[in-house]
Amino acid sequence: MATTLFDKIWDEHVIRAMPDGKTLLHIDRHILHDITSPQAFEGLEAKGRRVRNPELTAATEDHIVATTPGRDETTYAPGAEFIRAMRKSAEEHGIRLFGLGDMQQGIVHVIAPELGIALPGSTHTCGDSHTCTVGAIGALAIGVGTSDVEHVLATQTLKLHKPKRMRIEISGALGPGVTAKDAILHIIAAVGAAGGNGHAVEYAGAAVRALAIEARFTLCNMSIELGARIGMVAPDAATIEYLADRPFTPQGEAWDAALAHWRSLATDDHAIFDKEVAIDGGEIAPTVTWGTSPEDAIPVTGAVPDPATISDPGRRATKERALDYMGLTPGTPLEGLAIDMVFIGACTNSRISDLREAARIAEGGRVAGGVRAMVVPGSSTVKRQAEAEGLDRIFAAAGFEWHESGCSMCCALGDDLVAPGTRCISTSNRNFENRQGPGGRTHLASPAMAAAAALAGKIVDVRKA
Amino acid sequence: MEKFTRLTAIAAPLPNDNVDTDAIIPAVSLKRVGVDITALGEYLFHEWRFDPSGKPIEDFVLNKPQFAAPGILVAGRNFGCGSSREHAAWALLYAEVRCIVAPSFGDIFYNNCFRNGVLPAIVRGDDHAGLMRDVTEADGAAPMTVDLEAQQITAPSGEMYGFEVDPAGREALLSGLDDIAMTLEHEDEIAEFQHRHAAVRPWLYNTRFRVKASD
Ligand code: SF4
């Protein structure tokens, strides 16, 4: 029978059907971060349980950390107890920790594939909703809450309802200046913030195949923003090339055997999906959000919509609230909207290709007066690479801040915050109210669009910049 | 975990769509509370309840005296979308909001609720509109009852509504059992699976990042 990429991996990992209708699924890789694991270890210890497979588990410190140059675990005081808890648990349970100061530290979803911890054909979980990022290499990667982190630690399994299958096909080619970030924002606007609820999404089509692996991470990263816990792209030659010689990918014979498996994973012709969405890649413009849900995304050439045209009262109230929060009025063009801050970072867009893209725009320019612009690499590895290429100097010369790696202003758990009432163009994935700091106003966009806005002091169309 | 069988409490209307986990429990409160999650209840909807100077925002529903301690929220579409942070479910639990009624929920939040004794009940379409109207009109003057066993809501007016709930989640709430213990009853099968799987996919098991590398 014709089978999907998702089903092939799911089926291989089924241990048994549970009486409550869920499936007990084996988890091959479990990666922890500082914020969502302390209670899981507490729960484990309260019951005297052990970590079942520490050798399949890894950990990092990324969320509640300072990103100021030269930082350590004491730089950001409120993070200290989380870091302490993480280190103690990792030590006691024999879990490899890529913590602050480690050469390979970084944002959990950036380092998992970058280090070769995550692999195609594997099941991969993390107590974080953006775990879907990792699906870009053809893993079944799923974000969970802390109760499930504890469950995986104790049992190396998850109990899940099998999601439905959804395919989003992007045909044709993306235009000049249009990136994976624009594509996913465009898709979320098309299907809505709940359009993928209950589904595992596979991204397919010529425009997806043409994306470099790092761009596929960006695409899969925001699957959760359309409600899907899983986003995937079938592994292909580009995936294999990306994974070759990563620090922890299989070596020698194991590599050869793995390749044979990975090459068999692509969705079969005629496989059936529960839901299909077709997007024309050529229609996608550089896309920016105006509101407080990622579904509030429009082409940069567009204007803020008018909620008065929405007939559903709940929906209308939601969008009115968003406009009010964002300090915008209907009909305002996005192009020309003055910004105060620029954040280039987060697991959406903080890999080396993202930084190169931003540096290309920033090179020789100058951040506009009164604008604070910062670049936060997704991992310590990315940071070193960027420095080796001189990107840090390009950014510094143009007036951008250059930081240590971490989640930073994406989630405002550390001390990098968008100031109240100020407007930020951000390469992160959530424009929720207060997400980047209390009262902060977020416009999501690609790295190139963010860099161009930094120089102009306002939102501009990167195709004209 | 605390069981959930039947709840009679004041229901507050919160009709907004896409209420995200950052709204339910803002990042700033995670930092204030640290690893002691029992204090999270105080910070439920913190940024919606208080302005930046700390002054209560009067027209936010949970700041109205009649909704000071609601046990139930009747919410809009896609409630709890966004982050996986279980802090959102914990904040509700510790604020003693034990049930959310909405037409749909964010998937991870939905699952997290069941693990923490909070019932996410699904009521769609006209029923949802009717219940929202009922609760809004009651304005906290009469309580609402949610009966998980019967899967039935008695609105403040006395009107009855059915609701949908994931059968596995319903079982978990009614029994209050330890989920991990139930899985560990299958430990033999897990071990047997790993043995079989490692034989065909050895590279998944012989990891090179382990603390004591075996190769
Ligand atoms: S960068 Fe942002 S979205 Fe990504 S893991 Fe960190 S907080 Fe979550």
Side-chain angles (χ1 to χ4, degrees), chain A residues 12-13 15-16 18 20 22 24 26 28-29 39 47 49 52-53 55-57 76 81-82 94-96 122 127-129 143-148 150-151 154-157 159 161 193-194 197-198 227 229 247-251 257-258 261 295 312 315 318 321 411-414 430 432-435 438, chain B residues 15-18 20-23 26-28 30-31 33-37 47-48 52 60 77-78 81-87 90 104-108 111-112 115-116 166-169 171 178-184 186-187 189-191 193-194 196-197 200-201 203-205 207-211:
Chain A
E12 178 172 312
H13 290 85
I15 297 173
R16 65 165 10 247
M18 299 301 277
D20 64 3
K22 290 187 174 182
L24 189 66
H26 187 260
D28 301 331
R29 291 289 181 276
Q39 274 76 33
K47 292 262 158 75
R49 290 174 177 144
R52 194 183 184 289
N53 291 101
E55 77 285 7
L56 306 182
T57 312
Y76 182 60
E81 65 170 326
F82 288 89
I95 294 166
R96 177 71 177 267
S122 67
D128 195 281
S129 61
V144 298
T146 295
S147 295
D148 276 336
E150 185 181 337
H151 191 277
T155 69
Q156 205 58 34
T157 67
K159 278 194 281 200
H161 284 297
N197 281 12
R229 286 170 81 178
F248 304 117
T249 42
Q251 304 282 298
H261 177 226
E295 72 181 12
D312 179 88
R315 203 174 160 74
T318 304
R321 183 181 169 103
C411 59
L413 279 164
R430 287 191 174 140
F432 298 163
E433 285 183 29
N434 307 301
R435 168 80 180 181
Chain B
N16 313 48
D17 288 343
N18 297 332
D20 58 70
T21 47
D22 282 74
V28 32
L30 264 61
K31 296 191 271 195
V33 165
V35 296
D36 172 23
I37 58 167
E47 312 292 326
W48 288 12
F60 179 58
R77 276 179 288 255
N78 204 25
C81 62
S83 164
S84 69
R85 59 174 78 140
E86 205 152 315
H87 304 72
W90 296 331
S104 60
F105 291 90
D107 283 352
I108 307 180
N111 188 49
N112 286 344
R115 313 299 286 276
N116 292 285
D166 168 38
E171 267 315 298
D178 176 349
D179 212 35
I180 294 176
M182 292 196 297
T183 298
L184 286 175
H186 303 286
E187 168 53 34
E189 286 162 87
I190 299 169
F193 173 90
Q194 287 190 335
R196 198 162 21 92
H197 196 222
V200 288
R201 313 275 182 240
W203 62 88
L204 288 176
Y205 291 83
T207 53
R208 298 170 54 234
F209 56 82
R210 64 179 64 190
V211 170

